[in-house]
Amino acid sequence: MEFEDVARELLLVAPGDFVAERTARQRAARKDDRDLATAIGKLRKPAPAAWVIDLLAHEGALDEAVDLGPALRKAQQDADPGEIRKLRQQRSGVVDALAQAGADLASDAGHPVTPAVLDQVRATIEAAMADPHAGAAVRSGLLVTPLESVGFDEVDLDGALADPDAVPDAWSGSDAPPIPISEARGARKASRASRPTGTRPQDEPEPEAEPEPKRDPAADRKAARQAETTARAESRDADAALDAAETALEQAEDHRADLQRQLEQAEADVERAERARDDAEAASNEARELLAAAQKHRRSLGR
């Protein structure tokens, strides 16, 4: 099997069973393909939200959400408030339905997820709608970390896939620039500001009851990126520590298996030595009996 196929199968395993199953698959592959075994050993355990996304991808449940992305991006680029409002309602329904479906799949697999994990699942699905590259990533079934759309930046896919080479669409160029859904309100305000005073189409949403406080979008995006960078660094450190611990566990298990084989060999050697000793004692007893018989016969002849 190719590594990407093995990875897809392993990423569907419940998190609590992942390490044991990965070790078993690595040992099985080591007999015929050591390179594949090495790649399997390096496969990271997926974050719970990424595991849920992979379950949904395996069921083909993410297609509708990803396919909705281009329409959302176009509505935002066109600053079409009515279309944005309609698509946002549709997006909300799709995301909620998929999150619930993911929660059901996780429960069926014996690993219910927390509300915090489901929030990450929703954020990942929304990122897939916002960025076509992220859409390809979540559809692949090879996700190991949740995704998030921040500001106008492309979704960061660094380290997000178990086998990036298997998902070229996650990295290739696209004519549809990634525009996060969270910026829809800004597009609507820009559209309103460009119209003559006193006119308002019927499909434009009613003005907010209270004006929102003025914010600096650039500063907000910068702060969000900094927070995300810090969180990602902490997550990578934790992943590295976990990988090191899992590697140490695998090495300890291999060492224990070697010791077990050596013990079994030693026990076999002892058993053979004991049989040889018993055979030697039997031969010695037989020789003594023959000697005694010969001596007795000799004495009888001398009389």
Side-chain angles (χ1 to χ4, degrees):
M1 295 182 67
E2 297 292 336
F3 171 64
E4 65 179 277
D5 298 323
V6 178
R8 283 193 178 93
E9 292 179 0
L10 283 173
L11 293 175
L12 297 177
V13 176
D17 301 326
F18 177 83
V19 174
E21 184 64 22
R22 181 185 63 184
T23 300
R25 293 297 295 269
Q26 182 184 20
R27 288 176 177 170
R30 190 177 295 158
K31 301 175 183 177
D32 302 316
D33 191 336
R34 296 192 67 85
D35 290 339
L36 176 60
T38 299
I40 292 173
K42 293 180 179 179
L43 178 63
R44 292 169 54 193
K45 178 179 178 180
W51 172 64
V52 174
I53 291 293
D54 290 334
L55 291 176
L56 290 168
H58 180 68
E59 297 291 327
L62 296 169
D63 294 348
E64 180 182 356
V66 176
D67 291 342
L68 185 60
L72 280 163
R73 292 192 295 271
K74 184 177 186 305
Q76 290 169 321
Q77 288 176 320
D78 295 344
D80 185 337
E83 187 67 12
I84 288 174
R85 183 174 66 253
K86 182 182 74 174
L87 291 172
R88 287 186 67 188
Q89 291 173 348
Q90 185 178 352
R91 177 204 68 172
S92 179
V94 169
V95 171
D96 287 343
L98 285 173
Q100 183 58 53
D104 293 341
L105 289 172
S107 295
D108 291 343
H111 191 84
V113 292
T114 65
V117 168
L118 286 183
D119 285 343
Q120 292 181 329
V121 170
R122 290 187 180 91
T124 299
I125 297 170
E126 291 179 353
M129 294 178 176
D131 185 336
H133 312 317
V138 302
R139 265 179 164 166
S140 71
L142 293 169
L143 204 66
V144 293
T145 63
L147 305 178
E148 184 177 7
S149 178
V150 179
F152 283 93
D153 295 338
E154 293 184 354
V155 175
D156 187 358
L157 297 176
D158 184 25
L161 291 169
D163 186 3
D165 294 336
V167 196
D169 288 344
W171 307 100
S172 62
S174 171
D175 294 334
I179 299 179
I181 296 167
S182 60
E183 298 297 331
R185 178 174 295 177
R188 186 170 65 244
K189 289 183 177 180
S191 175
R192 184 187 303 127
S194 65
R195 301 191 191 102
T197 303
T199 62
R200 179 173 62 82
Q202 293 182 352
D203 62 351
E204 181 178 341
E206 293 296 329
E208 302 288 344
E210 296 182 2
E212 296 182 355
K214 292 184 178 180
R215 301 175 63 89
D216 184 348
D220 289 346
R221 291 195 295 271
K222 181 177 180 181
R225 284 194 298 269
Q226 290 175 341
E228 184 183 18
T229 299
T230 300
R232 187 176 297 114
E234 292 174 351
S235 176
R236 287 173 179 167
D237 290 343
D239 287 339
L242 177 60
D243 289 343
E246 291 175 348
T247 299
L249 175 61
E250 291 171 5
Q251 291 173 346
E253 290 176 346
D254 289 341
H255 183 57
R256 183 183 64 180
D258 289 338
L259 291 176
Q260 181 64 32
R261 286 192 294 269
Q262 293 175 19
L263 176 60
E264 292 172 355
Q265 182 63 44
E267 290 174 345
D269 292 341
V270 169
E271 184 177 350
R272 284 194 296 271
E274 289 177 345
R275 285 198 301 266
R277 180 197 62 192
D278 293 341
D279 292 342
E281 289 179 352
S284 177
N285 291 336
E286 184 179 357
R288 282 195 296 269
E289 291 174 357
L290 290 173
L291 177 60
Q295 290 174 341
K296 181 178 180 181
H297 180 66
R298 182 179 177 183
R299 284 193 300 271
S300 66
L301 291 176
R303 289 177 182 177

